[in-house]
Amino acid sequence: MASPPPSTGPVRLVVLLSGSGTNLQALIDAIGDDPAAYGARIVAVGADRDKAGGLERAERAGIPTFVCKLKDHATRAEWDEALTAAIADHRPGLIVSAGFMKIVGPAFLAAFGGRFINTHPALLPSFPGAHGVRDALAHGVKVTGCTVHFVDDGVDTGPIIAQGVVEVTEEDTPEGEAALHERIKEVERSLLVEAVGRLARDGHRIEGRKVHLGHVGE
Ligand code: GRF
């Protein structure tokens, strides 16, 4: 599977989130007032809850927002279709899950498969799921980190684009999950900014599980 050839103009990004949005902020800051240099611009930010702090960050930056809540829909399939439609309205080239704590469904993947990336706070394929930081700590690993990957129909199983490493020290007790997560997020923000920029500027190609960044066929 290959990305379309780099188009004229910055790639349109929709960012999805559920939380405070520091990863979103890193993207906003990296794009600054020169989307052409970065290769992408954020055209909308979506959340699955009203109170996600990331929505305020988007509003402060003048980026349109939308909220699509699971509980406002009769079934998960209907929610999935509504989310897909809300995103499609913004005609994105790439969709970034930056702390979006929901698993998307078949309608979403049919529309955006191969263009949806996620950032996860562990070194996949170890410790997938909602508690990657806690699970890595409980396992006693000496290094952990973060992974930017394409989303497929599994939980954190898609092809890996980039990874960053964070050391776990003697001071990292199981109670210290939040502190370790903060250290991971420092690495994660730069990793996400770099990975999204490379995908947008240079394109990519996937062979089996391997993601190759850079112009195809050059
Ligand atoms: C990130 O560590 C992401 O990997 C995880 O949730 C965190 C979101 O952080 N799923 P923020 O909202 O971008 O600050």
Short mmCIF file of all heavy atoms in Angstrom, two decimals, residues 17 19-24 98-101 118-121 181 184-185 188-189, ligand 1:
data_model
loop_
_atom_site.label_atom_id
_atom_site.label_comp_id
_atom_site.label_asym_id
_atom_site.label_seq_id
_atom_site.Cartn_x
_atom_site.Cartn_y
_atom_site.Cartn_z
N LEU A 17 -8.93 13.34 19.79
CA LEU A 17 -8.38 13.22 21.15
C LEU A 17 -9.48 13.05 22.18
O LEU A 17 -10.67 13.29 21.90
CB LEU A 17 -7.51 14.45 21.47
CG LEU A 17 -8.09 15.85 21.21
CD1 LEU A 17 -9.10 16.23 22.26
CD2 LEU A 17 -6.98 16.87 21.17
N GLY A 19 -8.23 13.73 25.68
CA GLY A 19 -7.62 14.24 26.91
C GLY A 19 -7.12 15.65 26.80
O GLY A 19 -7.69 16.50 26.10
N SER A 20 -5.99 15.88 27.47
CA SER A 20 -5.50 17.26 27.63
C SER A 20 -4.93 17.86 26.34
O SER A 20 -4.83 19.07 26.22
CB SER A 20 -4.44 17.30 28.73
OG SER A 20 -3.31 16.57 28.29
N GLY A 21 -4.52 17.01 25.41
CA GLY A 21 -4.13 17.52 24.10
C GLY A 21 -2.74 18.10 24.02
O GLY A 21 -2.49 18.98 23.19
N THR A 22 -1.79 17.61 24.84
CA THR A 22 -0.44 18.16 24.69
C THR A 22 0.20 17.68 23.37
O THR A 22 1.04 18.39 22.81
CB THR A 22 0.48 17.82 25.88
OG1 THR A 22 0.67 16.42 25.96
CG2 THR A 22 -0.09 18.34 27.19
N ASN A 23 -0.19 16.51 22.90
CA ASN A 23 0.31 16.07 21.59
C ASN A 23 -0.25 16.95 20.48
O ASN A 23 0.46 17.31 19.54
CB ASN A 23 -0.03 14.60 21.36
CG ASN A 23 0.92 13.67 22.08
OD1 ASN A 23 2.04 13.46 21.63
ND2 ASN A 23 0.50 13.15 23.22
N LEU A 24 -1.54 17.29 20.59
CA LEU A 24 -2.13 18.24 19.63
C LEU A 24 -1.35 19.55 19.67
O LEU A 24 -1.01 20.12 18.63
CB LEU A 24 -3.60 18.50 19.98
CG LEU A 24 -4.21 19.71 19.27
CD1 LEU A 24 -4.39 19.45 17.79
CD2 LEU A 24 -5.53 20.11 19.91
N ALA A 98 -4.48 11.35 18.73
CA ALA A 98 -3.50 11.83 19.71
C ALA A 98 -4.13 11.71 21.09
O ALA A 98 -4.60 12.70 21.66
CB ALA A 98 -3.11 13.27 19.39
N GLY A 99 -4.21 10.47 21.57
CA GLY A 99 -4.87 10.24 22.85
C GLY A 99 -6.38 10.14 22.71
O GLY A 99 -7.12 10.60 23.57
N PHE A 100 -6.84 9.56 21.60
CA PHE A 100 -8.28 9.31 21.39
C PHE A 100 -8.56 7.93 21.96
O PHE A 100 -8.06 6.93 21.44
CB PHE A 100 -8.61 9.37 19.90
CG PHE A 100 -10.06 9.26 19.57
CD1 PHE A 100 -10.98 10.20 20.03
CD2 PHE A 100 -10.54 8.22 18.77
CE1 PHE A 100 -12.33 10.11 19.70
CE2 PHE A 100 -11.87 8.12 18.44
CZ PHE A 100 -12.77 9.07 18.91
N MET A 101 -9.33 7.87 23.05
CA MET A 101 -9.43 6.64 23.82
C MET A 101 -10.63 5.78 23.39
O MET A 101 -11.36 5.23 24.22
CB MET A 101 -9.50 6.94 25.31
CG MET A 101 -8.29 7.72 25.82
SD MET A 101 -6.71 6.91 25.45
CE MET A 101 -6.69 5.66 26.72
N ASN A 118 -1.95 6.50 14.98
CA ASN A 118 -2.18 6.59 16.43
C ASN A 118 -0.83 6.70 17.14
O ASN A 118 0.18 6.20 16.64
CB ASN A 118 -2.89 5.31 16.90
CG ASN A 118 -3.13 5.30 18.40
OD1 ASN A 118 -3.60 6.28 18.97
ND2 ASN A 118 -2.81 4.19 19.05
N THR A 119 -0.84 7.37 18.28
CA THR A 119 0.35 7.34 19.13
C THR A 119 0.01 6.61 20.41
O THR A 119 -1.03 6.83 21.03
CB THR A 119 0.90 8.76 19.38
OG1 THR A 119 2.00 8.64 20.29
CG2 THR A 119 -0.12 9.71 19.94
N HIS A 120 0.91 5.69 20.80
CA HIS A 120 0.65 4.80 21.94
C HIS A 120 1.82 4.90 22.92
O HIS A 120 2.98 4.86 22.50
CB HIS A 120 0.50 3.37 21.42
CG HIS A 120 0.27 2.38 22.52
ND1 HIS A 120 -0.95 2.28 23.16
CD2 HIS A 120 1.08 1.49 23.11
CE1 HIS A 120 -0.87 1.35 24.10
NE2 HIS A 120 0.35 0.85 24.09
N PRO A 121 1.54 4.99 24.23
CA PRO A 121 2.63 5.21 25.19
C PRO A 121 3.31 3.93 25.67
O PRO A 121 3.47 3.71 26.87
CB PRO A 121 1.93 5.95 26.34
CG PRO A 121 0.56 5.37 26.33
CD PRO A 121 0.23 5.08 24.88
N HIS A 181 4.64 8.33 32.72
CA HIS A 181 3.86 8.72 31.54
C HIS A 181 4.27 10.12 31.07
O HIS A 181 4.41 10.36 29.87
CB HIS A 181 2.35 8.66 31.84
CG HIS A 181 1.50 8.65 30.61
ND1 HIS A 181 0.14 8.45 30.64
CD2 HIS A 181 1.81 8.82 29.29
CE1 HIS A 181 -0.34 8.52 29.39
NE2 HIS A 181 0.65 8.74 28.57
N ILE A 184 7.42 9.80 29.18
CA ILE A 184 7.14 9.20 27.86
C ILE A 184 6.55 10.27 26.93
O ILE A 184 6.92 10.38 25.76
CB ILE A 184 6.17 8.00 28.00
CG1 ILE A 184 6.88 6.85 28.71
CG2 ILE A 184 5.65 7.56 26.63
CD1 ILE A 184 5.97 5.69 29.09
N LYS A 185 5.63 11.07 27.48
CA LYS A 185 4.96 12.07 26.63
C LYS A 185 5.92 13.12 26.10
O LYS A 185 5.73 13.64 25.00
CB LYS A 185 3.79 12.71 27.39
CG LYS A 185 2.56 11.79 27.41
CD LYS A 185 1.44 12.27 28.30
CE LYS A 185 0.92 13.61 27.90
NZ LYS A 185 -0.35 13.93 28.63
N GLU A 188 7.22 11.41 23.19
CA GLU A 188 6.11 11.11 22.28
C GLU A 188 5.74 12.33 21.41
O GLU A 188 5.47 12.20 20.22
CB GLU A 188 4.91 10.68 23.14
CG GLU A 188 3.73 10.13 22.37
CD GLU A 188 2.63 9.66 23.31
OE1 GLU A 188 2.55 10.14 24.47
OE2 GLU A 188 1.83 8.81 22.88
N ARG A 189 5.74 13.50 22.04
CA ARG A 189 5.33 14.71 21.30
C ARG A 189 6.28 14.97 20.13
O ARG A 189 5.84 15.26 19.02
CB ARG A 189 5.27 15.92 22.25
CG ARG A 189 4.13 15.81 23.24
CD ARG A 189 3.94 17.10 24.02
NE ARG A 189 4.86 17.23 25.13
CZ ARG A 189 4.58 16.88 26.40
NH1 ARG A 189 3.39 16.40 26.71
NH2 ARG A 189 5.47 17.03 27.36
C1 GRF B 1 -0.60 10.02 25.18
O1 GRF B 1 0.41 9.46 25.99
C2 GRF B 1 -1.19 9.00 24.26
O2 GRF B 1 -0.27 8.09 23.77
C3 GRF B 1 -2.13 8.31 25.20
O3 GRF B 1 -2.75 9.38 25.88
C4 GRF B 1 -1.81 10.43 26.01
C5 GRF B 1 -2.46 11.69 25.50
O4 GRF B 1 -1.81 12.82 26.00
N1 GRF B 1 -3.04 7.43 24.52
P1 GRF B 1 -2.24 14.28 25.58
O5 GRF B 1 -3.75 14.40 25.74
O6 GRF B 1 -1.81 14.52 24.17
O7 GRF B 1 -1.52 15.18 26.54
#
